[in-house]
Amino acid sequence: MALKLFNTASRKKENFEPREQGKVGMYCCGPTVYHYAHIGNLRTYVFEDVLRRTLLYNKFSVKHVMNITDVGHLTSDSDEGEDKMVKGAKREGKSVWEIAKFYEKAFFDDFHALKLQDPEIKCKATEHITDMIELVKRIEQNGYTYIVDGNVYFDISKFPRYAEFARLNLEGQEEGARVEIDNAKRNKADFVLWFTRSKFGNQEMQWDSPWGRGFPGWHIECSAMSMKYLGEQFDIHCGGVDHIPVHHTNEIAQAEAATGKHPWVKYWLHGEFLVEDTGKMSKSKGEFLTLNVLKEKGYEPLVYKYFCFTAHYRQQLNFSWGGMDSAKNSFNRMKNKILALKEETGNLEQDGTFGGKSRQYLDDFEESINDDLGVPNALAVMWSVLRDEELKSEEKLKLLYRFDNIFGFGFKDWKKETVTVPEEIQKLVDEREEARKEKDWAKADALRDEIQEKGFLIKDTAEGPQLEKKY
Ligand code: AMP
Ligand code: ZN
């Protein structure tokens, strides 16, 4: 089954064929480390992880690059507003370097809690300033830039394909734009490649350059680092949908202006937003939801991942606590069933080939994920397997382990937790044992229900009652 992916560049689902057979170069725009990632940001990384896993599942070797933005990202993607890192530093009374270090770690803690696979290369903007300067020099040599007040601008009128990728209506955009006007720009959508005049007073992060001491614009880092690690043309570039009209449009302009090669990237994939009733989830609104907040409210990170899987990555996903509760219920039912299967099969790793009904399930699963990462359909196949009354436990578990290559829940590592039984529960258990001895079955059953309501399953074995945590 060929892998099909929706390419933003053509607005069509296309058969995926990398530039070099069997090998994929993939670049994903990473976090700006000035604050915790909100759960909307994390939805995008969950989608990218499914993409990565699907490529691996299809036996491609993958070189996945992700940047860490620790300089130069302004609150508006189009060179306006405050510098995000400076804002973070001011908020916490720390240096920008301290802020970057702290939030980078926090980001990867979340990343790993969701069991997302590490990219082969993680690259920090501040460690690639020379690469960015070299790229700006090439763009300048090719005649695409101008300088006003010490800042180097990209002149979009020199790059006729500028509006193509995002199907921009530049006239309309000019009228509709709500950003402050930078009078230095020749065209509204021109953007800064290198700042020497900081609009923000004392900028801690500064480097020497042919245009003077300063710092890079935000977009240049992704063009520079992706080409450094993946070559001047490569296979896949991803991010959230908000990146289509500005950031990725600018990245394309920079890269193609420098190299003269088109298309820079063969497949562009964009994840839709996590939205709240009040609109897109974003940090600029002040309070925002993080994975830690979810944890405090009793939703483990993998429940959030399950929640993300209930919608296709190209559909908006509405966040609600009700939605989280039903994800938690489904996740826990899945967990109970899988733990039971492991117990029944003696925890043995199931190997071998897939035949008969199992083969059919596997085909359905592969068809779902290879059809533009159809994870909700793949989840439905998983549930059919779990509910199938004819399939043997060994076969089920073998399929589930296979599916987990895409889901990344870590089924193989799941174990029944050894439970410490609270005193209150132990008392109920003892009372129930008493009732059973006296053959008061009604009382014993009522106590069993009470114990269950309090979160424990009770099993009567030859060695006496045993308790398990109920999910
Ligand atoms: P940032 O750290 O702001 O650069 O964003 C990191 C990633 O999260 C980018 O790929 C954004 O496109 C994406 N993103 C931002 N807001 C949301 C949201 N509400 N839902 C899904 N993805 C988002
Ligand atoms: Zn980027």
Side-chain angles (χ1 to χ4, degrees):
M1 236 160 297
L3 172 60
K4 286 197 171 68
L5 297 173
F6 184 88
N7 189 351
T8 305
S10 64
R11 307 294 196 274
K12 284 195 189 95
K13 261 191 223 174
E14 295 177 20
N15 281 336
F16 178 70
E17 282 160 20
R19 298 172 53 83
E20 202 182 321
Q21 213 189 345
K23 285 188 178 169
V24 181
M26 150 165 149
Y27 185 88
C28 300
C29 291
T32 306
V33 285
Y34 72 112
H35 214 323
Y36 291 108
H38 64 59
I39 57 172
N41 300 136
L42 295 174
R43 181 186 183 203
T44 296
Y45 300 108
V46 167
F47 134 66
E48 290 162 353
D49 187 65
V50 169
L51 171 61
R52 172 195 167 88
R53 288 169 178 273
T54 302
L55 293 165
L56 292 169
Y57 191 100
N58 282 279
K59 307 246 180 321
F60 293 106
S61 74
V62 176
K63 186 169 176 189
H64 173 185
V65 181
M66 187 171 80
N67 65 308
I68 314 284
T69 300
D70 52 1
V71 64
H73 193 173
L74 309 189
T75 45
S76 149
D77 289 349
S78 38
D79 298 339
E80 312 297 336
E82 248 185 310
D83 180 301
K84 287 189 180 183
M85 297 300 300
V86 174
K87 192 174 158 189
K90 262 199 230 155
R91 186 186 62 230
E92 298 184 21
K94 293 184 182 152
S95 74
V96 270
W97 301 98
E98 284 168 332
I99 289 290
K101 194 167 168 212
F102 179 85
Y103 287 110
E104 184 188 338
K105 178 173 179 311
F107 174 77
F108 282 107
D109 287 347
D110 286 352
F111 200 84
H112 295 139
L114 290 165
K115 293 192 186 291
L116 308 185
Q117 293 180 338
D118 278 312
E120 278 64 34
I121 292 173
K122 299 171 189 169
C123 40
K124 280 188 213 166
T126 49
E127 290 171 4
H128 293 77
I129 302 294
T130 316
D131 301 288
M132 297 183 214
I133 291 174
E134 286 309 309
L135 195 63
V136 176
K137 278 206 251 168
R138 283 174 77 182
I139 299 169
E140 186 176 48
Q141 274 154 17
N142 292 347
Y144 291 89
T145 63
Y146 59 94
I147 297 177
V148 181
D149 269 349
N151 296 330
V152 184
Y153 289 86
F154 188 100
D155 183 348
I156 64 154
S157 66
K158 300 269 170 60
F159 187 73
R161 280 195 299 276
Y162 185 81
E164 228 170 66
F165 177 68
R167 318 278 202 266
L168 293 177
N169 171 355
L170 292 173
E171 297 304 312
Q173 198 192 34
E174 284 189 24
E175 283 158 26
R178 279 186 295 117
V179 289
E180 356 156 349
I181 295 166
D182 178 347
N183 288 323
K185 290 186 183 179
R186 292 184 188 161
N187 313 287
K188 200 50 157 259
D190 287 354
F191 54 96
V192 179
L193 299 168
W194 188 267
F195 289 94
T196 62
R197 298 280 171 88
S198 169
K199 305 181 192 178
F200 322 106
N202 253 345
Q203 170 83 4
E204 271 176 79
M205 291 176 157
Q206 292 201 10
W207 295 264
D208 288 328
S209 84
W211 312 280
R213 210 167 154 73
F215 61 98
W218 173 44
H219 315 290
I220 197 73
E221 69 174 82
C222 288
S223 303
M225 293 193 276
S226 60
M227 290 199 282
K228 174 173 180 135
Y229 295 108
L230 300 172
E232 290 194 344
Q233 289 176 292
F234 58 92
D235 301 303
I236 301 182
H237 198 316
C238 316
V241 281
D242 55 330
H243 285 344
I244 301 170
V246 183
H247 183 50
H248 287 168
T249 288
N250 292 352
E251 278 191 46
I252 293 170
Q254 294 167 152
E256 296 190 2
T259 66
K261 294 177 186 165
H262 174 76
W264 175 43
V265 171
K266 202 167 171 192
Y267 302 91
W268 287 87
L269 273 77
H270 291 97
E272 251 299 350
F273 273 148
L274 178 75
V275 291
E276 297 171 288
D277 293 345
T278 48
K280 163 184 180 280
M281 184 168 289
S282 77
K283 284 174 219 174
S284 51
K285 287 186 184 161
E287 281 203 0
F288 58 88
L289 285 173
T290 61
L291 216 51
N292 280 332
V293 173
L294 294 190
K295 269 193 256 175
E296 278 159 22
K297 291 188 185 281
Y299 305 94
E300 55 175 301
L302 293 183
V303 167
Y304 179 64
K305 188 174 191 176
Y306 189 100
F307 176 72
C308 291
F309 285 173
T310 58
H312 187 261
Y313 78 92
R314 284 196 292 117
Q315 281 168 346
Q316 285 196 345
L317 175 58
N318 270 304
F319 180 83
S320 70
W321 293 109
M324 282 300 290
D325 284 336
S326 58
K328 185 173 171 178
N329 281 336
S330 306
F331 180 83
N332 287 342
R333 269 192 294 132
M334 170 179 87
K335 191 162 181 178
N336 281 330
K337 280 180 184 284
I338 289 171
L339 291 176
L341 285 175
K342 289 181 118 178
E343 201 162 47
E344 282 162 38
T345 54
N347 255 331
L348 283 183
E349 252 198 46
Q350 312 299 324
D351 270 330
T353 51
F354 294 87
K357 216 171 174 193
S358 280
R359 182 71 247 173
Q360 187 54 52
Y361 280 128
L362 188 59
D363 286 347
D364 290 350
F365 179 86
E366 290 176 353
E367 201 171 304
S368 303
I369 55 154
N370 279 350
D371 181 13
D372 194 29
L373 317 179
V375 177
N377 290 341
L379 262 193
V381 176
M382 181 202 74
W383 278 108
S384 306
V385 169
L386 285 175
R387 292 199 184 103
D388 191 313
E389 289 179 358
E390 291 166 16
L391 214 57
K392 284 202 251 136
S393 299
E394 287 78 9
E395 289 175 295
K396 287 189 183 182
L397 203 54
K398 192 163 72 171
L399 279 165
L400 280 148
Y401 285 164
R402 182 60 90 85
F403 298 168
D404 201 40
N405 288 317
I406 301 298
F407 298 144
F409 284 127
F411 292 157
K412 281 190 183 166
D413 303 328
W414 283 7
K415 285 190 190 75
K416 276 212 167 117
E417 285 167 48
T418 40
V419 284
T420 25
V421 183
E423 212 173 303
E424 173 206 12
I425 305 289
Q426 190 56 51
K427 256 172 123 177
L428 295 173
V429 174
D430 295 342
E431 261 181 62
R432 180 172 170 269
E433 277 308 278
E434 259 332 284
R436 273 159 55 88
K437 266 188 213 148
E438 283 160 23
K439 301 207 177 347
D440 185 350
W441 306 120
K443 188 173 176 194
D445 285 351
L447 282 161
R448 170 197 291 264
D449 291 347
E450 198 180 336
I451 293 166
Q452 271 204 29
E453 260 167 46
K454 295 196 151 86
F456 291 87
L457 292 174
I458 191 160
K459 269 191 184 169
D460 296 308
T461 71
E463 288 86 47
Q466 278 187 1
L467 287 185
E468 278 173 17
K469 211 164 159 201
K470 186 173 158 234
Y471 292 103

